[in-house]
């Protein structure tokens, strides 16, 4: 996208001159953004999950340097808790609320699979066998992490995904397992 195209996206009026971005352009930009998101997300899930990130050129997972804990520029950025998936849950939930039926279905399916994949890897955090995942019990992982990365991508992604999953933020056609049939009501 060029600087001119970005400038055209501003929808504010300047005097009598209105913005040059029309509805067809906005729809095209949205479809392109969705396509690029799913390209990255699908490749992360195929080639790098459950690691934190995908190396885009080699299509291999970016992992912590377990042999050299002092390699902080790599190790501190990676939390060892499937960071790209956690970070993507909010976007998947928003795409699941899309006005386009095929995209809504795709976003909802990816959101549900993403949540199930996290639970499989990290359990549900409860006592007993359901609480234990393949990698850890909850996110109780022995990792030194960057506070900013963890708060913005990890905690932010988990909190917003939780709100979507519990029905506090609406996803069209999604009813969490523990919700009553009344839209907007939740039980914990």
């Amino acid at each position: 996208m060029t600087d001119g195209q970005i400038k055209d996206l501003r929808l504010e009026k300047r005097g009598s001159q209105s913005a040059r971005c029309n509805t067809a352009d906005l729809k095209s930009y949205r479809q392109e953004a969705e396509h690029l998101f799913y390209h990255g997300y699908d490749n992360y899930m195929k080639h790098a999950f459950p690691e934190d990130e995908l190396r885009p050129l080699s299509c291999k997972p970016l992992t912590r340097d377990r042999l050299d804990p002092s390699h902080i520029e790599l190790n501190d950025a990676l939390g060892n808790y499937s960071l790209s998936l956690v970070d993507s849950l909010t976007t998947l939930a928003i795409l699941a609320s899309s006005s386009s039926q095929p995209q809504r279905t795709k976003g909802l399916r990816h959101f549900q699979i993403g949540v199930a994949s996290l639970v499989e890897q990290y359990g549900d955090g409860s006592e007993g066998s359901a609480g234990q995942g393949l990698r850890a019990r909850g996110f109780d992982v022995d990792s030194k992490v960057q506070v900013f990365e963890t708060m913005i991508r990890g905690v932010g992604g988990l909190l917003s995904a939780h709100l979507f999953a519990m029905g506090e933020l609406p996803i069209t056609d999604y009813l969490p397992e523990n919700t009553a049939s009344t839209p907007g009501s939740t039980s914990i």
Side-chain angles (χ1 to χ4, degrees), residues 25 30 55 92 100 148 171 187:
D25 288 339
R30 179 187 171 109
R55 293 177 183 259
L92 289 168
S100 163
F148 180 80
I171 300 176
S187 61

Side-chain angles (χ1 to χ4, degrees), residues 138-160:
F139 288 99
D140 187 10
V141 178
D142 187 17
S143 294
K144 178 182 175 189
V145 296
Q146 287 182 353
V147 174
F148 180 80
E149 271 313 284
T150 303
M151 292 304 292
I152 298 299
R153 295 181 69 194
V155 175
L158 287 172
L159 284 174
S160 57

Side-chain angles (χ1 to χ4, degrees), residues 38 92 95-97 103-113 171-175:
Y38 282 123
L92 289 168
L95 291 173
S97 299
Q103 292 299 5
R104 180 171 53 234
T105 303
K106 182 177 183 179
L108 180 58
R109 185 179 74 248
H110 278 70
F111 179 81
Q112 291 172 316
I113 291 169
I171 300 176
T172 307
D173 299 329
Y174 176 68
L175 284 175

